[in-house]
Amino acid sequence: FINMRKIINTNNSPEPIGPYNQAILKGKTLFISGQIALDPKTMSLIDNSIKEETVQVMENLKNILLEAEMNFNDVVKTSIFLSDMDNFSEVNKVYESYLELGNEPARETIAVKTLPMNVNVEISMIAIK
């Protein structure tokens, strides 16, 4: 059972916009695909501000974690992709608000030329139960 592979999908996060799943649980490790600021109910982008965009991304991640019976305390690695490093501070504030002080995961933040649907932020995570 330790090496079983299980697809994790929830209606509380947006359905994939390509050939991938929201997350894969392999043993006790959860690999969450990059999430963007899509509203799971309407599949429309939330892009009024970088803050609102990041909140939607974090909510999408939270809902996938919950579907796998995990939470942000189980996250060991985060990758943040930004279309503009000038958004780093605002994204960081929102991201930090979802984490428990002293239990932050390892992380990298990468500036990229463009992201899917021309969003400003995409975040992926790895969690271990």
Side-chain angles (χ1 to χ4, degrees):
F1 289 109
I2 194 81
N3 288 321
M4 286 184 60
R5 181 180 185 271
K6 180 181 177 188
I7 294 170
I8 303 293
N9 281 311
T10 174
N11 292 331
N12 295 323
S13 289
E15 62 185 55
I17 59 171
Y20 61 91
N21 287 291
Q22 291 173 346
I24 300 293
L25 182 64
K26 178 78 172 165
K28 295 182 176 193
T29 305
L30 183 69
F31 299 89
I32 305 176
S33 294
Q35 294 298 303
I36 60 174
L38 281 173
D39 179 314
K41 291 174 181 57
T42 64
M43 288 299 287
S44 59
L45 281 175
I46 306 299
D47 60 359
N48 298 329
S49 71
I50 190 63
K51 180 179 180 181
E52 286 183 36
E53 196 172 333
T54 307
V55 166
Q56 185 64 55
V57 170
M58 293 301 289
E59 288 296 314
N60 292 342
L61 290 162
K62 179 177 79 174
N63 290 328
I64 294 167
L65 286 164
L66 289 172
E67 185 69 20
E69 299 178 357
M70 293 186 189
N71 60 54
F72 286 114
N73 286 332
D74 298 309
V75 176
V76 295
K77 181 70 165 55
T78 300
S79 297
I80 300 177
F81 303 93
L82 299 176
S83 63
D84 185 344
M85 214 35 107
D86 288 342
N87 290 327
F88 179 85
S89 180
E90 195 68 31
V91 169
N92 207 44
K93 281 183 212 163
V94 174
Y95 171 80
E96 181 180 41
S97 73
Y98 281 82
L99 304 174
E100 183 181 299
L101 185 64
N103 195 39
E104 300 91 341
R107 179 182 100 179
E108 70 260 331
T109 304
I110 306 122
V112 296
K113 185 176 177 189
T114 54
L115 287 163
M117 300 178 77
N118 291 315
V119 298
N120 297 301
V121 59
E122 179 175 7
I123 302 175
S124 64
M125 293 181 162
I126 299 171
I128 300 176
K129 188 69 172 166

